[in-house]
Amino acid sequence: MVLAVGTAVGPPGALFPVLGAGVATRLCGAPEHGGAGLHPRLVLGCASAGAVLAYLVVVAPLALPAVRRRDRGIPVAPLRFRLDRGGRTVVLRVVVAAAVAAALAAVLGLDRGYWVVVAVVAVLQSGPGRRVSGIRAVHRAAGTVLGGGVFVLVAALVAPPAPGLVLAVVLALLQFGTELVVVAHYGAALVLITPLALLIAEAGAAGDPWTIAGERVLDTAIGCAVALLVLVGDRLLEGRPAA
């Protein structure tokens, strides 16, 4: 989180490292504890293969001389680390909220407690502005509710015995739609991001789609509530007179 904020990498910031760690824990976890029981090397190998493939797709156009000439004239800003007051505020909020969210998920015995932490990070990492973070919390909660319904519908399409190719096509369409709308409207993007994330994390699982979607909505609502409470607490502390 500190590196993401200090280097100003932009969206999605620290979200995917947090999400990746949570999904990997779920996939590698023992079945008796709610995990999928996959071997860590398999999960790491699949993630690495996906990263390499994505990198090759991005750099492939550089094989064309015209593309290299065009990109040569684009200035590249040097990577610098700078954690100003606003950045420190964001980091502090995320750290406090993530700790509260993780503890709350453990106390409540949530099967996918990382969803609560992911919601916290997604809401609070956007910047120091409370209004923007509050709006993101509403968008995330509402978008997740609608996206959960989309997941239930899509899960029926890609459930076994549907071939893996159908799942790949559905994931590609959801990702394409997400890229089209995520800049314009965060809540609308969540309608597509939610089934996308659930299909990736729960593909091949025997869980009931309605139950999975309901748990996702509940965990996201808890995470958004924690984020909002941290924002309120931060505002109260800021307005308190110094001793």
Side-chain angles (χ1 to χ4, degrees):
M1 186 66 210
V2 174
L3 290 175
V5 175
T7 55
V9 295
L15 183 60
F16 278 113
V18 175
L19 177 61
V23 172
T25 301
R26 169 79 176 172
L27 294 176
C28 298
E32 59 267 25
H33 297 300
L38 299 180
H39 198 285
R41 284 199 294 268
L42 174 61
V43 176
L44 182 60
C46 291
S48 300
V52 170
L53 178 60
Y55 180 77
L56 292 176
V57 170
V58 171
V59 301
L62 294 177
L64 301 176
V67 175
R68 292 199 301 273
R69 287 194 298 270
R70 182 199 65 192
D71 289 356
R72 195 176 295 122
I74 300 176
V76 179
L79 184 62
R80 297 175 179 172
F81 181 86
R82 179 173 178 268
L83 200 61
D84 57 13
R85 180 179 179 182
R88 291 193 298 271
T89 299
V90 171
V91 171
L92 182 59
R93 288 175 183 169
V94 172
V95 169
V96 172
V100 173
L104 191 57
V107 170
L108 296 176
L110 301 178
D111 290 336
R112 300 170 182 82
Y114 68 91
W115 283 347
V116 183
V117 180
V118 165
V120 162
V121 175
V123 169
L124 295 179
Q125 72 168 353
S126 57
R130 297 188 189 89
R131 181 175 181 274
V132 173
S133 296
I135 292 174
R136 283 180 70 88
V138 174
H139 280 199
R140 184 143 195 115
T144 299
V145 171
L146 296 177
V150 174
F151 166 72
V152 172
L153 295 176
V154 174
L157 175 64
V158 300
L165 181 60
V166 174
L167 175 62
V169 171
V170 170
L171 292 177
L173 291 175
L174 289 172
Q175 183 66 57
F176 180 74
T178 298
E179 297 299 330
L180 289 179
V181 302
V182 66
V183 176
H185 197 285
Y186 183 64
L190 260 298
V191 177
L192 302 175
I193 292 173
T194 298
L196 177 65
L198 291 180
L199 287 172
I200 293 174
E202 304 295 332
D208 174 57
W210 282 102
T211 301
I212 295 173
E215 291 177 352
R216 172 73 176 215
V217 170
L218 175 61
D219 294 347
T220 299
I222 294 173
C224 290
V226 170
L228 291 174
L229 286 175
V230 168
L231 291 174
V232 171
D234 179 49
R235 177 66 183 87
L236 294 175
L237 290 175
E238 184 183 79
R240 192 176 67 177

